[in-house]
Amino acid sequence: MTLQTRPPVVPFLPESAPFTAEQRSWLNGFFAGVFSCDVGATSLSPSESAILLGGGASAGEEDDGAPWHDASMPLDERMKLAEGKPLPRRMMAAMAQQDCGQCGYLCETYSKAIATGAETKLNLCAPGGKETLRMLKQLAAEMDGAPAGSAPVDSAPAAAPQAQAAATPAAAPLGTRENPGEVVFLGRSRLNKAGSEKETWHVEFDLTGSGLDYRVGDSFGLFPVNDPGLVDAVLAALHAPADFPINEKTLHDVLAHEVCLGAAPDALFHLISYITGGARKAKAKALAAGEDPDGDAATLDVLAALEKFPGIRPDPEAFIECLEPLQPRLYSISSSPLATPGRLSLTVDAVRYAIGARTRHGVASTFLGGRVPEGTKLKAYIQKAHGFALPEDASRGVIMVGPGTGIAPFRAFLHERMAAKAPGKNWLFFGHQRRDSDFFYEDELAGMQAAGCLTRLETAWSRDGAEKIYVQDRIREHGAELWSWLQEGAHFYICGDAKRMAKDVELAVADVAALHGGMDLDKARAFIADLKKAGRYQADVY
């Protein structure tokens, strides 16, 4: 594909772009300031800008419906559906389809930014990981001159969040990813009781003076710090001193605050292949190419990659350049600003799992679940929700399906509806492993039921009996009433695992529509598609 040369243009954000009025105003001014420095710069029309920034579709795209925009669909299936589509659409199909905002875009707008050359980094899709990065590299190769950094993009030096904030123009909206605010960590309380196999925390922050403003349905972005034990282990494997200078900082500080120590990037294996020989060189090259010579590629984080090739001594600067930036983590907010102004809460599973003799730790989840002391000031921001919010008509019923930590936004919804005295009915489906140890916010929910705010509560426990019961089973069990609620105009929400649970719940709702709506399966699926188009079936999945 050959890109046509055109004079520099000034992007103009359309009203439909997913930003607040303040953000849109600042971005339009920022674009104008940057692009007007180019001789002969012209302005994009609102329709052209909509195409670039996600407010509209270009020729050949407008009617495709993006059938691959399904987080539960494997990459190869998504790419097959996008065959023959324009490059931006195929790039969109390569994304993780979560619209999570961690990259600073939505899946569609990120892909368009890459295809137009407005974005040169191909490694920003955190949930897509290596799989998405490799596919984007293939697609970018179709362009006449791949975006700068597309080949070694995963070896681009990372910038610390503090440095990014310092480089941001003063006019950038406070409380955004580009200009995070400062919040205070107030503390944590364990939600699981004795006997649970999980470790889940209710986490509280003070927003006073942070500039952060949120609505229920939004997400909280946090800049975490890597586990000190892991940092020390990486230093030992590198055979490098902690105080080795890296861009006026120490190697230890860069490893702790600026680079991802999770899945080993291809660039690291490229580097290893340059400094080793023989069979080890061939193995490193194979791993860099996405192959799996020993059947362990999926388990190789940065430390495991170094340990797989013991004795290598890469230059610390070259090593750092191979690693990806430490990205912020997003969490669904579990509080309501109407109910608890100035405070924000999260519901966080601390991720810990063993691979071989070593326990791996989730970067942000264990940071929040144990490593950060009370009173610590942290950089954070609000990721505004995209199509996930309470109905404007407060008299509409809401049906919420949130197993495990998926309850987070629905706790926020319920607190908001109760504080606002919303007249609409509320129905929550919650599930976990065991009732006695994993019933999050049980007392709160009981109080909401007693107050008349929580109209119905259905629970599903997968480890309490011989038969595993899940939320989708409860949906089918109460299908007749659920169908009645939907016919009355209720909105349906789901939060949680994108790969399995969300797909299983959607199938259950389709079964309900088929059985109680007198539809065949195709019409039932079309019914759900219509709910989604109307904004009455909304998902916050990860």
Side-chain angles (χ1 to χ4, degrees), residues 5 10 18 41 60 82 99 111 148 151 181 184 219 238 302 352 356 372 377 409 451 505:
T5 304
V10 182
D99 281 337
S111 61
V184 177
S219 297
L238 282 173
V302 170
R352 292 185 175 87
V372 59
K377 294 181 178 180
V505 166

Side-chain angles (χ1 to χ4, degrees), residues 476-499:
R476 291 186 174 94
E477 181 181 333
H478 299 283
E481 187 164 1
L482 189 142
W483 178 251
S484 176
W485 279 47
L486 290 175
Q487 291 302 103
E488 292 170 1
H491 287 225
F492 188 93
Y493 300 87
I494 183 170
C495 179
D497 171 56
K499 296 295 184 184

Side-chain angles (χ1 to χ4, degrees), residues 27-309:
L27 286 167
N28 282 332
F30 174 74
F31 288 142
V34 171
F35 285 84
S36 62
C37 295
D38 294 315
V39 177
T42 59
S43 293
L44 284 175
S45 69
S47 61
E48 289 176 310
S49 295
I51 291 170
L52 174 61
L53 296 163
S58 59
E61 298 176 18
E62 55 187 82
D63 295 325
D64 67 16
W68 55 80
H69 199 47
D70 177 354
S72 67
M73 187 181 296
L75 177 66
D76 57 347
E77 292 182 24
R78 300 199 305 268
M79 299 312 300
K80 187 173 182 180
L81 285 173
E83 281 181 5
K85 298 290 183 182
L87 183 62
R89 304 305 273 174
R90 285 181 285 138
M91 286 184 165
M92 179 190 174
M95 306 298 174
Q97 312 306 313
Q98 293 185 20
D99 281 337
C100 63
Q102 291 190 68
C103 61
Y105 302 86
L106 302 176
C107 295
E108 184 175 18
T109 54
Y110 182 29
S111 61
K112 288 177 180 177
I114 295 171
T116 59
E119 176 58 76
T120 61
K121 296 186 180 70
L122 306 182
N123 64 338
L124 298 181
C125 182
K130 283 186 180 181
E131 189 178 52
T132 289
L133 174 59
R134 287 169 179 155
M135 182 56 67
L136 288 177
K137 284 183 177 180
Q138 291 181 35
L139 295 170
E142 298 182 21
M143 301 168 65
D144 184 17
S150 63
V153 67
D154 52 351
S155 63
Q162 294 83 354
Q164 293 171 355
T168 303
L174 182 61
T176 58
R177 174 176 169 147
E178 295 75 20
N179 187 15
E182 192 172 71
V183 302
V184 177
F185 177 76
L186 294 177
R188 64 183 75 83
S189 56
R190 181 82 179 265
L191 289 173
N192 321 89
K193 297 175 184 176
S196 177
E197 297 176 19
K198 300 287 187 176
E199 181 188 332
T200 310
W201 298 91
H202 177 81
V203 182
E204 294 272 354
F205 298 89
D206 183 359
L207 304 184
T208 304
S210 67
L212 270 62
D213 181 29
Y214 74 96
R215 299 176 63 183
V216 294
D218 291 344
S219 297
F220 182 75
L222 176 76
F223 294 94
V225 177
N226 281 318
D227 180 2
L230 178 59
V231 171
D232 290 342
V234 170
L235 285 168
L238 282 173
H239 306 284
D243 61 355
F244 187 96
I246 303 284
N247 296 329
E248 300 182 354
K249 300 176 184 176
T250 67
L251 177 59
H252 181 280
D253 285 347
V254 172
L255 288 172
H257 299 278
E258 299 187 15
V259 295
C260 175
L261 300 180
D266 295 343
L268 177 56
F269 293 116
H270 278 298
L271 175 63
I272 292 171
S273 73
Y274 298 149
I275 60 176
T276 190
R280 299 210 308 173
K281 183 182 189 73
K283 185 173 293 186
K285 281 187 172 183
L287 287 164
E291 299 172 16
D292 191 2
D294 295 331
D296 61 352
T299 71
L300 297 177
D301 64 359
V302 170
L303 176 58
L306 293 173
E307 292 175 339
K308 188 174 181 68
F309 298 90

